[in-house]
């Protein structure tokens, strides 16, 4: 029995057999299953509009709170969630996002939508400005985090995600220098307006030996830089005795040179060594400037002596003699030290009197000779 083929079924003499090259060949549209086409189209809608595609489903199917069920096919958020197999809270987050966008005029109001309605949706990037997938976004803390994120120019959802996972934040800080630097800057900015955090940080540093030492070193370097800066920018020097006088031009120029070198350092470079060199150089020049100015040198020594005298007087005044006498703790060594101190003070007073009274020495000698003659 011979089977005849229809003309359309007769192979063309010039047709070549298909060769499998192993490369992907996009199938014709009519060969794709309807379910795949539907999924692809849904994906395309989501790719273009993001969460708006799902928010529309909520907006056109869920009736606004307080609206009666009669006269509409819309259902409550709870009923919609049960049909969707999710929580009412999740449905309401989409609902609230649509509501805020409607207030801004980006999408229609709920009352203008019916189940199955199609409308033009905003771009996907706009969605994150209205939607938050986290309950914390509605709290006072969440609002504060969202506001701070917007001020920094980032999406609130990112900041909320970090805030809700401190362990992940800690891991990122420990592992990544860039994250640690960002955290350091944020803490410093926050401490400017948070005295409680300042206290906590200071306490934590004081209780950690290495950190306490590092802070002390940095504070010392900062003080030295400030000393040089005051000379360079203020044009005045503070002498070792505490006097403040105009800086000589060459001293100020040297301070400016060192300060410019320090200011040019990168944040990653240690300023301690540079600060030490600048401080010692300027300090030596200050001491030299004092010695080369007779008037200043005299005033410097007078101020230094008077400062030492004040300290000694304060220490002596703080001696609690009443307690010593009451408890009977006096020892011979104490008396010897006080007698030696008395002799030193007497010699000091005598020397100062001779220095301040030109005729005192001659008067003392004459009085001594008179006494000797009387005794004879």
């Amino acid at each position: 029995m011979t089977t005849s083929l229809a003309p359309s079924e007769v192979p063309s003499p010039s047709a070549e057999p298909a060769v499998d090259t192993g490369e992907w060949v996009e199938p014709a549209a009519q060969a794709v299953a309807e379910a795949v086409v539907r999924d692809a189209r849904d994906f395309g809608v989501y790719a273009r509009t993001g969460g708006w595609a799902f928010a529309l489903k909520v907006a056109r199917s869920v009736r606004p709170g307080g609206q009666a069920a009669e006269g509409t096919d819309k259902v409550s958020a709870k009923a919609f969630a049960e049909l969707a197999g999710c929580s009412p809270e999740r449905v309401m987050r989409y609902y609230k996002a649509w509501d805020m966008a409607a207030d801004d005029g980006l999408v229609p109001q709920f009352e203008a939508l019916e189940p199955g309605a199609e409308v033009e949706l905003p771009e996907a990037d706009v969605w994150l400005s209205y939607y938050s997938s986290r309950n914390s976004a509605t709290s006072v803390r969440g609002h504060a985090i969202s506001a701070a994120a917007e001020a920094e120019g980032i999406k609130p959802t990112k900041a909320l995600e970090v805030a809700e996972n401190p362990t992940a934040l800690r891991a990122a800080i420990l592992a990544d220098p860039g994250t640690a630097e960002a955290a350091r800057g944020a803490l410093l900015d926050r401490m400017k307006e948070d005295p409680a955090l300042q206290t906590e940080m200071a306490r934590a540093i004081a209780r950690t030996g290495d950190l306490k030492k590092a802070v002390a070193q940095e504070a010392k370097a900062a003080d030295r830089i400030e000393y040089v800066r005051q000379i360079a920018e203020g044009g005045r020097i503070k002498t070792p005795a505490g006097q403040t006088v105009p800086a000589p031009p060459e001293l100020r120029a040297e301070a400016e040179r060192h300060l410019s070198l320090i200011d040019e350092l990168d944040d990653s470079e240690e300023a301690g060594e540079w600060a030490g060199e600048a401080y010692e150089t300027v300090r030596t020049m200050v001491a030299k400037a004092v010695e080369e100015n007779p008037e200043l040198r005299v005033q410097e020594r007078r101020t230094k002596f008077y400062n030492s005298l004040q300290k000694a007087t304060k220490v002596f005044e703080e001696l609690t003699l009443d307690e010593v006498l009451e408890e009977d703790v006096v020892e011979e060594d104490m008396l010897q030290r006080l007698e030696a101190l008395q002799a030193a003070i007497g010699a000091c007073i005598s020397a100062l009197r001779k220095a301040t009274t030109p005729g005192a020495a001659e008067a003392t000698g004459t009085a001594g000779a008179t006494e000797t003659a009387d005794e004879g």
Side-chain angles (χ1 to χ4, degrees), residues 42 45 52-53 56-57 60 98 108 112-121:
D42 290 344
V45 172
W52 294 116
L56 173 60
K57 298 179 185 299
R60 68 192 183 187
W98 187 276
L113 298 174
E114 292 293 334
E118 295 291 343
V119 298
E120 186 175 352
L121 298 174

Side-chain angles (χ1 to χ4, degrees), residues 115-128:
E118 295 291 343
V119 298
E120 186 175 352
L121 298 174
E123 294 293 331
D125 292 343
V126 185
W127 170 248
L128 294 176

Side-chain angles (χ1 to χ4, degrees), residues 284-361:
T284 300
M285 294 184 69
V286 169
K288 182 180 179 182
V290 171
E291 287 298 318
E292 291 179 349
N293 186 325
E295 182 179 352
L296 182 58
R297 181 176 68 248
V298 171
Q299 183 61 31
E300 180 74 359
R301 292 178 180 177
R302 181 182 293 115
T303 303
K304 185 176 181 181
F305 182 83
Y306 188 74
N307 289 342
S308 299
L309 182 60
Q310 281 187 314
K311 292 178 182 178
T313 301
K314 184 177 181 181
V315 171
F316 188 79
E317 290 173 346
E318 290 176 352
L319 291 177
T320 53
L321 296 180
D322 293 340
E323 294 180 2
V324 171
L325 295 175
E326 289 176 1
E327 299 295 335
D328 192 23
V329 295
V330 179
E331 297 180 353
E332 185 64 24
D333 181 61
M334 295 179 183
L335 295 174
Q336 292 176 357
R337 287 175 178 270
L338 284 172
E339 289 172 352
L341 178 60
Q342 183 181 30
I345 292 175
C348 180
I349 292 173
S350 178
L352 291 176
R353 282 179 176 171
K354 290 179 180 180
T356 57
T357 309

Side-chain angles (χ1 to χ4, degrees), residues 75-158:
V75 297
S76 67
K78 181 178 180 181
F80 189 88
E82 291 175 353
L83 293 171
C86 66
S87 67
E89 289 77 16
R90 180 179 293 275
V91 172
M92 287 305 299
R93 286 197 287 272
Y94 280 84
Y95 182 94
K96 291 176 181 178
W98 187 276
D99 191 28
M100 288 189 292
D103 290 340
D104 289 345
L106 291 180
V107 294
Q109 296 287 343
F110 294 105
E111 294 78 5
L113 298 174
E114 292 293 334
E118 295 291 343
V119 298
E120 186 175 352
L121 298 174
E123 294 293 331
D125 292 343
V126 185
W127 170 248
L128 294 176
S129 301
Y130 293 92
Y131 174 79
S132 175
S133 61
R134 293 169 175 79
N135 292 326
S136 63
T138 61
S139 65
V140 174
R141 174 174 173 266
H143 283 305
I145 294 173
S146 298
E150 292 175 356
E152 295 290 333
I154 63 173
K155 298 174 181 177
T157 51
K158 294 293 184 182

Side-chain angles (χ1 to χ4, degrees), residues 212-225 270-272:
K212 183 178 179 180
K213 183 178 179 181
V215 169
Q217 291 176 345
E218 289 299 321
K220 182 178 180 180
D223 289 342
R224 290 182 165 184
I225 293 174
E270 295 291 340

